[in-house]
């Protein structure tokens, strides 16, 4: 991770240590926004990773997205298998 990416990761680590235990487990996305931010910074560096993390955080609201949303550039075989599993889970649940 670049030095600038490490600096940008500090607030994420602080959030995980100080605020996350009080917030509960209600994340709309998988992986969680903090995991996504750290992975994006690790994989893409400070500029693109920071932009991806910010974009993800801005979509985390009641009218935003939800579900499986991996960091772009992840292992395509793992992503395809994970998306397929979620698609089957959705089919197995009856409509309410």
């Amino acid at each position: 991770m670049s030095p600038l990416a490490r600096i940008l990761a500090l607030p994420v680590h602080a959030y995980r240590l100080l605020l996350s235990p009080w917030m509960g487990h209600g994340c709309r996305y998988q992986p969680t926004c903090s995991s996504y931010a750290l992975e994006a910074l690790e994989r893409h560096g400070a500029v693109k990773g920071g932009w991806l993390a910010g974009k993800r955080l801005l979509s985390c609201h009641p009218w935003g997205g939800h579900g499986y949303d991996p960091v772009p550039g992840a292992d395509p075989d793992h992503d395809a298998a994970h998306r397929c599993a979620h698609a089957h889970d959705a089919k197995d649940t009856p409509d309410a």
Side-chain angles (χ1 to χ4, degrees), residues 73-89:
D75 179 18
D77 293 332
H78 178 265
D79 287 348
H82 198 96
R83 287 183 192 274
C84 183
H86 281 283
H88 289 292
D89 291 343

Side-chain angles (χ1 to χ4, degrees), residues 9-56:
L10 288 175
V12 178
H13 289 295
Y15 164 79
R16 287 180 139 192
L17 182 67
L18 301 172
L19 295 177
S20 182
W22 297 96
M23 301 290 282
H25 299 286
C27 191
R28 305 175 55 83
Y29 290 105
Q30 181 61 31
T32 64
C33 292
S34 60
S35 295
Y36 182 97
L38 292 175
E39 186 177 346
L41 290 168
E42 177 72 35
R43 181 168 291 148
H44 297 289
V47 176
K48 185 174 181 184
W51 181 80
L52 289 168
K55 183 177 152 186
R56 170 72 172 271

Side-chain angles (χ1 to χ4, degrees), residues 1-2 5-6 10 16 21 29 32 40-41 47 58-59 61 92:
M1 190 180 297
S2 71
R6 287 186 191 275
L10 288 175
R16 287 180 139 192
Y29 290 105
T32 64
L41 290 168
V47 176
L58 290 174
S59 74
H61 55 79
D92 293 340

